[in-house]
Amino acid sequence: MTIDSSPVKFTPALPGQPVPEIATISGGRPVFRAELPDGRIAWLVTGYDNVRLVLVDQRFSRALAVAPGQARPGFEMFAAGSINGMDPPEHTRLRKLVASAFTARRVEALRPRVTGIVNQLIDAMLGRPRPADLVAGFSLPLPAQVICEMLGVPAADLGQFHAWSDTIMADWQRDPGEIMTALAGLYGYFGALIETKRARPADDLMDDRLSEHELTVMCCTLLIGGHETTANQINLSLLLLFDHPGQVATLRADPGLIPAAVEELLRCSRLGGLPPARVTTDDVQIGGVTIPAGEQVMPLLGTANRDPSAFIDPDRFDVTRDAASHLAFGAGVHHCLGAQLARVELQEAFRGLIGRLPGLRLAVPASDLEFKPGMAIHSLRELPVLWDQP
Amino acid sequence: MSRWKVSVDKNVCISSAMCVALAPDRFVLDEQQRSGPVEAEIDPDEEVRDAAASCPSEAISLVDADTGQPVDLD
């Protein structure tokens, strides 16, 4: 089969803007070549089965996608040294070492601590004037504090991490020099912390089966991965919930529905812009075309999560549906390491916010909300909220 | 070397497809995207060991077919 067409221009929708109808861009083709905003040519893959194939099949390599010589946006420069930019078997060895700390069972044991942090943050919000900024007061400190405690990082250093993380989670719009400086800062910080820890071992994630370099990069990965992502999943979920007050009332009446609601919120939110790319190791047939070896491929997760063949009436937001098979955490060897932790954090966050802040709502028109520019994920600057006085 | 019995607890499986990616000949997803073994008893296989050790929900059970003891996942 030959490549039948020249690439179509593709710019991911800006945060807060409507998503363009993908079928219109692609001419109805499930897999098509596109020219991205930074000039890269990539195959974009849509639909549940096709996206899952790219995520699971090892003929789609992450290591090749971040290899030297590939054009890489900011977060890919970071991924290049981390497990996110490796293939099996290198990936498997490193991932297994940290996977045990993030299993459903281990994370469930952390739930009471997560609930404790949620309650402290809500107590603090209740003690301050309204409206409150939920980003600074809740959605960012919650995951940041949890991951810092898991890594044994002092909470006093959180402000510095926010700054590094903001730069490292950058997309194609960001100056690579800035990203390299932030990476060096973060790497240097963990290098020094690990040296101190090895002198005085404590019961946290620091592990001696990793080399100094591997451990440093792993800590950076966990901190970056477990931070802005969860914070903005909380923010974007709340924006969805604010638009559906009836469903919030349902959750308030029956908090047992919250775990299912979290899956639906993950399915429906648009957290990321362009996904991490893969590069084909062989010619691969997918969605009616053959992608030749050595080409960039991007699985558009959102199109999988809104595929009518996988989810009935996919554009309807319904916290009572079974949405658990969504691909918001990816799939395959790079399935989000922190998925189970994120689930516990999100469940406890909404249990706390819905249960303790009745009438929680935006304090400004949604059109006034600002997203940070140049981020690989849709990251709100502020989320001013009001609630009813108890 | 004795054979291994492989099973997946579908109630615990979170459909990460980690096992399918690591050992595509050994695990398969059903219509609900839950994993199961292709064959319930196999010769020792490092990819299956990796899959069990990497499963985010610890849904994969790997036991020695002779002794019934869990296989070491390290």
Side-chain angles (χ1 to χ4, degrees):
Chain A
M1 192 180 293
T2 54
I3 299 164
D4 59 340
S5 63
S6 55
V8 297
K9 294 258 186 200
F10 182 82
T11 304
L14 291 171
Q17 300 299 312
V19 186
E21 190 59 53
I22 201 90
T24 311
I25 298 168
S26 68
R29 293 166 298 169
V31 178
F32 61 101
R33 284 173 87 224
E35 182 183 340
L36 305 176
D38 55 6
R40 277 182 295 168
I41 305 288
W43 291 84
L44 300 186
V45 173
T46 68
Y48 192 89
D49 290 342
N50 293 330
V51 166
R52 188 182 264 284
L53 182 73
V54 173
L55 296 172
V56 171
D57 192 310
Q58 291 189 25
R59 291 174 297 171
F60 297 93
S61 163
R62 276 291 291 149
L64 291 179
V66 299
Q70 294 281 358
R72 296 171 297 180
F75 68 93
E76 292 288 62
M77 294 167 61
F78 171 66
S82 81
I83 51 170
N84 184 253
M86 293 178 188
D87 295 334
E90 295 77 19
H91 172 272
T92 312
R93 180 183 75 85
L94 288 172
R95 168 124 182 177
K96 276 199 303 188
L97 291 178
V98 281
S100 62
F102 289 91
T103 60
R105 190 165 46 101
R106 289 288 291 276
V107 165
E108 199 52 48
L110 295 176
R111 189 186 290 272
R113 179 63 192 138
V114 173
T115 313
I117 297 171
V118 164
N119 281 325
Q120 280 169 17
L121 294 170
I122 293 177
D123 288 343
M125 283 174 65
L126 287 168
R128 284 196 299 263
R130 297 174 305 149
D133 173 19
L134 204 92
V135 171
F138 188 86
S139 58
L140 206 45
L142 169 63
Q145 198 168 331
V146 170
I147 196 68
C148 282
E149 289 184 14
M150 289 181 81
L151 290 171
V153 169
D157 296 337
L158 272 178
Q160 179 61 66
F161 283 126
H162 291 319
W164 282 324
S165 169
D166 263 12
T167 308
I168 293 166
M169 288 300 280
D171 71 2
W172 42 271
Q173 303 175 54
R174 194 73 73 101
D175 169 14
E178 267 178 51
I179 301 164
M180 291 314 290
T181 307
L183 280 172
L186 184 63
Y187 188 91
Y189 176 90
F190 272 115
L193 183 72
I194 287 160
E195 210 165 293
T196 318
K197 290 262 173 191
R198 287 219 156 136
R200 290 183 290 109
D203 181 26
D204 45 43
L205 276 182
M206 307 289 175
D207 189 303
D208 6 304
R209 286 169 298 174
L210 294 161
S211 75
E212 205 83 10
H213 172 71
E214 286 169 343
L215 184 52
T216 306
V217 173
M218 186 65 79
C219 288
C220 296
T221 308
L222 300 181
L223 190 96
I224 295 295
H227 185 184
E228 195 81 21
T229 45
T230 315
N232 284 290
Q233 185 61 48
I234 294 174
N235 296 336
L236 298 180
S237 297
L238 284 172
L239 293 183
L240 258 175
L241 290 170
F242 292 157
D243 282 341
H244 297 86
Q247 303 208 35
V248 176
T250 304
L251 295 176
R252 203 171 155 75
D254 184 1
L257 292 172
I258 284 178
V262 163
E263 301 307 317
E264 177 68 345
L265 288 162
L266 286 161
R267 183 184 76 84
C268 292
S269 312
R270 198 160 51 91
L271 182 62
L274 285 172
R278 272 73 176 165
V279 167
T280 41
T281 61
D282 281 303
D283 295 0
V284 183
Q285 289 192 21
I286 179 169
V289 301
T290 301
I291 302 180
E295 305 248 320
Q296 292 237 4
V297 181
M298 290 191 172
L300 301 182
L301 302 184
T303 65
N305 289 337
R306 289 175 187 263
D307 182 340
S309 74
F311 301 98
I312 296 161
D313 196 2
D315 292 331
R316 185 172 49 89
F317 172 67
D318 176 1
V319 295
T320 64
R321 81 157 79 216
D322 178 5
S325 57
H326 67 73
L327 296 178
F329 290 121
V333 300
H334 297 292
H335 180 265
C336 174
L337 177 66
Q340 299 309 101
L341 179 62
R343 287 185 159 111
V344 167
E345 290 175 339
L346 293 166
Q347 290 164 9
E348 294 310 306
F350 298 127
R351 211 184 299 279
L353 292 172
I354 291 170
R356 294 189 61 199
L357 300 177
L360 186 66
R361 60 194 178 274
L362 270 179
V364 298
S367 55
D368 285 3
L369 294 173
E370 277 183 42
F371 289 84
K372 296 176 195 165
M375 295 283 282
I377 63 164
H378 296 169
S379 177
L380 272 181
R381 245 187 235 293
E382 288 184 355
L383 183 56
V385 292
L386 287 167
W387 57 90
D388 301 331
Q389 288 287 32
Chain B
M1 193 186 256
S2 62
R3 283 162 65 83
W4 291 352
K5 282 187 174 167
V6 193
S7 59
V8 178
D9 185 339
K10 288 187 186 278
N11 294 316
V12 173
C13 174
I14 58 164
S15 310
S16 73
M18 176 71 72
C19 54
V20 184
L22 285 172
D25 301 331
R26 298 300 194 179
F27 296 94
V28 63
L29 299 185
D30 65 18
E31 279 195 356
Q32 277 76 48
Q33 310 295 334
R34 308 285 169 171
S35 172
V38 172
E39 288 175 290
E41 197 175 307
I42 59 168
D43 287 329
D45 180 334
E46 287 310 310
E47 285 184 349
V48 173
R49 194 201 304 265
D50 282 342
S54 302
C55 174
S57 57
E58 299 172 288
I60 301 170
S61 156
L62 214 52
V63 298
D64 185 304
D66 292 342
T67 66
Q69 291 299 305
V71 171
D72 185 2
L73 296 185
D74 274 337

